[in-house]
């Protein structure tokens, strides 16, 4: 069967002969820092001009974490240098340039006039908002972004013909299409998915690896000074700043992950520890989403580790599934369902985002720890996002749009195409179950099992009711009660609805009253 997805490496379009074309302005965006970007492959370095611009409109449409801003600006400046060294004429507009208009469109117009050019070429942006804007620009050609395994039109075609959309089905297609971890037409190890092996809690007293740090070079130092001066009202600690900012550094960081963390990546993927922010996670989404790493090259390197016997299959499969499965799947859903997807609110959640999501000032130790590390590192791993900050918001009925803006702002790897479906679909079930087969709702018992947070908490994770009861316990039953009609139709949640219905009316009333009392204080 021919599948509507791209495969393997990405062929570049043939170079265009200079005599046939007039020179163009090639706009490269801050998350397009890849030498094999379609617009660069289609351009001609002998005559075209590359424009890169730091603009206030993009830097401030949400209050992006200051480490995220520093990373993007520094990586852009480094990439511009690399393009110059590769023979491109690069026009780079800094944020503090007094003539900077503050918008991409304004900078494109200024650059066209400056270089006496009439046409712009760009690779499609990753966000719907920007796509709409750029489609309205005069004399601008947009090329597909082929840095993904599946193309977005192919995904939409595949998705719209299906009754139910499940990541697992899509993932199997991607495995077959890429050949990753395949033995002939069958999955290596006889199973597609080893997720059941990947749910171990971790011990807090063992040594843990850490992502590779990189001391800021002069380019990054200059950026750090600029961000400190111009974005002091944005969220997050700017320093210590230790992220990779070039492709070479990002590749070193990934090689370090392969050597130190991949082996145990699978087993402890869902674990959370107070003193270990990264556990065995890769800390690569920030680099990958900006274009500094290539998803298929990463997956092939992981497969090589497994084939060489250096890492177990559950770890290799777990990692590859996140990249060619979840990452591609959420992108497909984003482009297929935007713009309406952003406004989804199937569970009618309207509570404002509590202030403690920004300050971390809460007696709930799990939330305090996850928010503190988010402020420090612009990072929390998947389970912290899904089962702590996301789970709390889901149970408390926080407005999914406010929550989306928070996730988009606070994580260094956050771009709308990947963040929005994870928030609206996976974490908040606000799309009514399009992306996830069930709401990721859990009581305190889950957090207690998978973390060491509860020992440090003002609440008692074992208490089910009363003023000291873990708020996740109270809110969990309120959530089940509130959505019991919808949840009773979901085979993976119906059992919890039946359990709720077996509670005595007095117990039900007490649980709901205690949960309401907690929410009344929350605001
Ligand atoms: C509410 C919520 C918001 C999220 N927002 C973002 C976001 O803005 N940007 C982002 O890249 N990821 C997001 N994720 C997915 C995931 O949490 C991050 O990709 C991951 O934590 C990044 O850390 P890491 O590089 O150490 O990943 P690892 O745990 O080491 O995983 C390896 C890689 O797999 C990919 N991956 C894993 N899970 C997902 C997923 N669900 N969706 C897409 N890619 C995935 C990432 O590229 C990641 O780098 C979000 C998840 C949730 C629940
Ligand atoms: S007791 Fe509840 S609120 Fe406190 S850390 Fe545990 S799960 Fe979080």
């Amino acid at each position: 069967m021919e599948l509507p997805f791209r495969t393997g490496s990405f062929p570049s379009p043939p170079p265009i002969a200079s005599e046939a074309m007039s020179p163009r302005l090639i706009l490269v965006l801050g998350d397009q820092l890849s030498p094999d970007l379609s617009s660069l492959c289609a351009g001609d370095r002998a005559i075209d001009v590359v424009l890169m611009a730091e603009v206030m409109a993009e830097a401030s449409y949400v209050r992006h974490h200051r480490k995220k801003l520093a990373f993007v600006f520094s990586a852009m400046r480094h990439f511009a240098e690399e393009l110059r060294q590769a023979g491109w004429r690069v026009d780079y507009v800094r944020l503090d340039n007094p003539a900077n208009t503050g918008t991409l469109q304004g900078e494109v117009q200024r650059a066209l006039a400056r270089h006496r050019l009439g046409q712009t070429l760009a690779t499609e942006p990753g966000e719907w908002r920007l796509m709409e804007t750029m489609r309205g620009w005069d004399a601008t050609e947009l090329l597909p972004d082929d840095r993904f395994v599946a193309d977005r039109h192919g995904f939409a075609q595949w998705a719209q013909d299906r009754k139910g959309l499940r990541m697992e089905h899509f993932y199997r297609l991607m495995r077959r299409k890429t050949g990753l971890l395949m033995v002939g037409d069958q999955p290596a190890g006889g199973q597609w998915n080893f997720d059941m092996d990947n749910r171990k809690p971790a011990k807090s007293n063992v040594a843990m690896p850490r992502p590779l740090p990189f001391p800021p070079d002069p380019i990054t130092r200059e950026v750090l000074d600029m961000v400190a001066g111009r974005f002091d009202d944005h969220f997050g600690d700017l320093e210590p700043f230790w992220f990779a900012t070039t492709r070479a550094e990002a590749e070193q960081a990934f090689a370090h992950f392969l050597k130190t963390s991949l082996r145990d990546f699978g087993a402890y993927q869902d674990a959370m520890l107070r003193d270990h922010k990264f556990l065995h996670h890769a800390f690569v989404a920030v680099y990958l989403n900006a274009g500094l790493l290539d998803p298929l090259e990463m997956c092939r390197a992981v497969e090589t580790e497994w084939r060489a016997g250096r890492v177990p299959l559950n770890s290799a499969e777990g990692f590859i599934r996140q990249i060619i499965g979840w990452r591609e799947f959420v992108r497909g859903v984003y482009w297929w369902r935007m713009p309406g997807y952003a406004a989804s609110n199937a569970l009618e959640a309207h509570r404002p985002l509590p202030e403690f999501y920004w300050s971390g000032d809460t007696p709930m130790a799990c939330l305090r720890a996850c928010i503190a590390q988010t402020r420090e590192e612009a990072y929390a791993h998947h389970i912290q996002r899904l089962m702590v900050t996301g789970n709390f918001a889901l149970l408390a009925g926080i407005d999914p749009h406010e929550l989306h803006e928070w996730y988009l702002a606070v994580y260094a790897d956050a771009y709308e195409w990947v963040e929005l479906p994870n928030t609206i679909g996976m974490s908040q079930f606000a799309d009514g179950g399009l992306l996830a087969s069930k709401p990721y709702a859990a009581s305190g018992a889950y957090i207690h099992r998978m973390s060491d947070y509860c020992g440090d908490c003002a609440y008692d994770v074992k208490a089910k009711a009363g003023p000291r009861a873990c708020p996740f316990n109270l809110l969990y039953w309120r959530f089940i009660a509130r959505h019991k009609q919808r949840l009773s139709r979901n085979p993976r949640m119906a059992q919890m609805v039946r359990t709720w219905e077996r509670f005595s009316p007095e117990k039900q009333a007490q649980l709901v009253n205690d949960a309401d009392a907690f929410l009344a204080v929350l605001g």
Side-chain angles (χ1 to χ4, degrees):
M1 178 177 57
E2 186 47 32
L3 299 168
F5 297 110
R6 296 175 54 84
T7 183
S9 59
F10 309 125
S12 306
I16 297 162
S18 12
E19 56 274 21
M21 297 293 301
S22 19
R24 288 174 294 183
L25 186 71
I26 303 180
L27 174 66
V28 174
L29 303 172
D31 59 352
Q32 298 183 337
L33 310 181
S34 315
D36 57 354
L37 192 70
S38 53
S39 54
L40 292 172
C41 292
D44 182 344
R45 68 191 77 189
I47 57 169
D48 293 333
V49 177
V50 172
L51 171 68
M52 296 180 72
E54 301 169 0
V55 293
M56 208 55 179
E58 297 304 313
S60 60
Y61 70 95
V62 290
R63 283 197 298 156
H64 296 291
H65 195 296
R66 298 193 307 158
K67 270 200 171 79
K68 177 183 186 182
L69 290 172
F71 164 73
V72 174
F73 291 148
S74 175
M76 284 174 71
R77 291 183 187 190
H78 282 96
F79 188 68
E81 282 311 312
E82 286 169 17
L83 288 179
R84 284 188 187 114
Q85 278 161 24
W88 288 96
R89 190 145 64 104
V90 181
D91 185 348
Y92 193 96
V93 183
R94 293 183 177 213
L95 193 78
D96 49 10
N97 178 330
N100 190 327
T101 55
T103 67
L104 282 173
Q105 186 166 12
E107 287 317 292
V108 166
Q109 280 165 355
R110 279 198 328 122
L112 288 170
R114 216 166 30 242
H115 300 285
R116 296 198 174 80
L117 298 172
Q119 288 177 0
T120 306
L121 178 66
T123 292
E124 287 177 344
E127 295 196 3
W128 191 87
R129 169 189 63 87
L130 209 45
M131 183 81 99
E132 283 302 286
T133 307
M134 289 173 69
R135 275 184 179 148
W137 292 357
D138 290 339
T140 301
E141 186 184 355
L142 295 180
L143 299 176
D145 188 347
D146 54 12
R147 296 172 300 163
F148 293 87
V149 183
D151 99 329
R152 61 193 183 86
H153 303 291
F155 182 94
Q157 198 186 321
W158 171 80
Q160 72 202 9
D161 294 341
R162 306 184 68 81
K163 253 178 146 182
L165 202 60
R166 287 294 154 251
M167 195 289 288
E168 187 63 29
H169 301 145
F170 168 79
Y171 168 56
R172 291 177 190 188
L173 292 182
M174 293 298 100
R175 286 274 294 278
R176 288 210 160 96
K177 202 65 178 162
T178 58
L180 284 161
L181 299 182
M182 296 298 291
V183 180
D185 195 38
Q186 292 306 308
Q191 258 170 257
W192 291 100
N193 182 320
F194 289 83
D195 210 22
M196 289 307 281
D197 300 343
N198 291 359
R199 295 176 185 174
K200 292 200 181 119
K203 291 206 170 58
S204 52
N205 58 354
V206 295
M208 287 278 173
R210 242 205 82 107
L212 196 62
F214 297 87
D217 67 1
I219 292 181
T220 303
R221 276 261 65 100
E222 214 181 335
V223 167
L224 289 170
D225 290 345
M226 184 185 78
V227 172
R230 294 197 164 225
F231 297 94
D232 62 348
D233 58 336
H234 279 225
F235 175 79
D237 298 350
L238 183 57
E239 304 224 32
F241 184 89
W242 53 272
F243 296 178
T245 52
T246 63
R247 169 169 297 259
E249 287 179 350
E251 283 171 356
Q252 275 181 52
F254 183 59
H256 174 79
F257 161 74
L258 293 178
K259 204 163 136 205
T260 62
S261 299
L262 177 61
R263 190 169 55 88
D264 289 324
F265 172 84
Y268 302 113
Q269 218 176 330
D270 290 2
M272 298 175 277
L273 291 175
R274 250 187 339 241
D275 294 335
H276 298 285
K277 301 171 189 168
F278 306 98
L279 288 103
H280 298 277
H281 291 273
F283 194 82
V284 287
V286 54
Y287 308 141
L288 181 58
N289 295 346
L292 298 184
L293 293 173
D294 177 284
L296 271 178
E297 277 174 18
M298 290 163 73
C299 290
R300 296 218 165 94
V302 166
E303 181 181 37
T304 301
E305 292 301 294
W306 169 67
R307 291 203 185 274
R310 289 189 284 268
V311 302
L313 184 54
N314 67 308
S315 285
E317 187 281 317
F319 186 86
I320 287 172
R321 174 158 30 89
Q322 308 311 321
I323 303 278
I324 65 167
W326 279 113
R327 184 170 186 267
E328 296 282 336
F329 185 71
V330 298
R331 177 174 182 264
V333 169
Y334 176 79
W335 284 110
W336 179 41
R337 285 306 177 109
M338 282 299 278
Y341 199 70
S344 313
N345 194 352
L347 300 185
E348 297 186 41
H350 299 294
R351 187 174 300 281
L353 186 75
E355 181 51 33
F356 72 72
Y357 271 72
W358 298 106
S359 68
D361 186 9
T362 166
M364 291 178 276
C366 52
L367 281 154
R368 198 168 61 232
C370 293
I371 294 165
Q373 92 165 56
T374 298
R375 193 175 53 236
E376 287 157 17
E377 307 293 6
Y379 179 82
H381 70 67
H382 186 65
I383 294 301
Q384 294 174 311
R385 297 185 206 195
L386 186 65
M387 300 311 293
V388 180
T389 45
N391 184 19
F392 183 84
L394 173 71
L395 299 180
I398 307 293
D399 184 318
H401 197 79
E402 284 197 26
L403 188 71
H404 143 63
E405 292 200 336
W406 183 80
Y407 280 111
L408 187 59
V410 302
Y411 292 113
D413 54 41
Y415 298 87
E416 194 180 86
W417 64 266
V418 53
E419 175 278 324
L420 185 84
N422 268 299
T423 304
I424 294 286
M426 186 186 296
S427 157
Q428 299 302 295
F429 209 70
D431 63 4
L434 178 80
L435 191 138
S437 57
K438 76 176 210 25
Y440 283 95
S443 69
Y446 174 87
I447 296 173
H448 185 45
R449 188 166 67 250
M450 297 311 298
S451 80
D452 62 355
Y453 295 142
C454 299
D456 200 24
C457 190
Y459 294 101
D460 178 359
V461 72
K462 298 265 163 55
K464 306 276 187 275
R468 285 211 63 230
C470 164
F472 285 84
N473 294 345
L474 298 173
L475 296 174
Y476 180 78
W477 288 115
R478 182 181 176 278
F479 176 81
I480 300 287
R482 193 158 172 246
H483 301 293
K484 65 183 181 187
Q485 258 160 5
R486 177 187 288 273
L487 299 179
S488 61
R489 294 193 299 270
N490 183 313
R492 299 182 66 195
M493 295 302 289
Q495 176 60 37
M496 295 321 288
V497 176
R498 284 196 291 275
T499 305
W500 166 257
E501 280 172 345
R502 280 198 296 271
F503 290 166
S504 67
E506 295 74 29
K507 184 171 175 179
Q508 289 185 347
Q510 190 192 359
L511 285 167
V512 171
N513 285 345
D514 286 355
D516 284 345
F518 172 81
L519 289 174
V521 177
L522 195 65

